[in-house]
């Protein structure tokens, strides 16, 4: 009985997938998987209009990315629900807006996608458009982009 309880607690602590998402291979959740440490203080979260603003930015960016004639094919066949949740968690965590990141590390999350530098550049353009639509100040946009930029090494494969 005790081993069943421990197993159930372990399963709750390791969110490989939540309802509505496709299952993924097991991994160890860690804040380090977010790819960078969060900003200190509440300034960046406020600049992005808190969790609601971050959610709108992620939604706009992903809607544009899935429909984009240049990079849309990279997203085809991938779990939109999981991607939306984990990308929101990552940005929310990095912006110190009160979230934990439960996703995989950047290398595992992007393995075998064939992402090229031009694809990342296009995604950044779409993210910038979404941040402008949310009226995030230019300086705050650049601060977030500078935190995300080193992750290129783990995402770009060609």
């Amino acid at each position: 009985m005790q081993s069943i309880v421990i197993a159930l607690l372990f399963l709750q602590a390791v969110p490989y997938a939540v309802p509505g998402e496709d299952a993924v291979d097991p991994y160890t959740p860690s804040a380090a998987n977010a790819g960078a440490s969060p900003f200190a203080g509440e300034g960046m979260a406020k600049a992005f209009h808190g969790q609601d603003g971050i959610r709108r930015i992620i939604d706009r960016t992903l809607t544009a990315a899935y429909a984009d004639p240049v990079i849309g094919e990279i997203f085809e066949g991938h779990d939109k629900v999981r991607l939306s949740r984990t990308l929101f968690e990552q940005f929310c965590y990095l912006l110190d807006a009160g979230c934990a990141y439960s996703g995989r590390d950047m290398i595992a999350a992007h393995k075998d996608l064939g992402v090229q530098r031009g694809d990342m550049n296009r995604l950044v353009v779409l993210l910038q458009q979404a941040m402008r639509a949310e009226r995030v100040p230019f300086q705050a946009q650049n601060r977030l982009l500078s935190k995300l930029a080193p992750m290129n090494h783990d995402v770009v494969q060609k």
Side-chain angles (χ1 to χ4, degrees):
M1 178 70 163
Q2 183 180 15
S3 61
I4 293 172
V5 171
I6 291 171
L8 288 173
L9 289 173
F10 178 73
L11 287 175
Q12 289 177 342
V14 184
Y16 303 134
V18 299
E21 296 178 0
D22 298 335
V24 296
D25 292 335
Y27 62 93
T28 303
S30 168
N33 289 349
S37 58
F39 290 100
E42 58 188 34
M44 286 295 284
K46 284 184 177 181
F48 280 76
H49 310 123
Q51 290 186 11
D52 291 339
I54 296 166
R55 174 123 10 244
R56 287 188 294 270
I57 290 167
I58 297 304
D59 289 348
R60 282 186 187 108
T61 302
L62 290 180
T63 297
Y66 274 94
D68 192 82
V70 177
I71 62 171
E73 69 184 40
I74 294 171
F75 295 88
E76 286 179 17
H78 291 282
D79 186 346
K80 291 180 183 181
V81 175
R82 180 181 184 79
L83 179 57
S84 178
R85 176 182 63 83
T86 56
L87 196 56
F88 166 77
E89 286 178 0
Q90 182 186 35
F91 279 40
C92 185
Y93 169 76
L94 294 175
L95 294 166
D96 199 20
C99 299
Y101 178 67
S102 67
R104 295 175 287 176
D105 66 84
M106 296 301 102
I107 293 172
H110 298 88
K111 183 182 177 194
D112 300 326
L113 293 181
V115 176
Q116 299 178 18
R117 182 145 327 277
D119 302 327
M120 282 301 297
N121 291 342
R122 180 63 184 154
L123 185 60
V124 169
V125 167
L126 298 177
L127 173 59
Q128 288 173 311
Q129 290 172 353
M131 291 188 294
R132 276 194 302 274
E134 185 61 29
R135 293 181 169 71
V136 174
F138 186 70
Q139 181 182 14
Q141 292 180 36
N142 284 341
R143 288 186 69 203
L144 176 63
L145 292 173
S146 70
K147 189 168 285 281
L148 298 175
M151 295 179 205
N152 276 333
H153 301 295
D154 295 335
V155 175
V156 174
Q157 296 175 357
K158 296 179 184 181

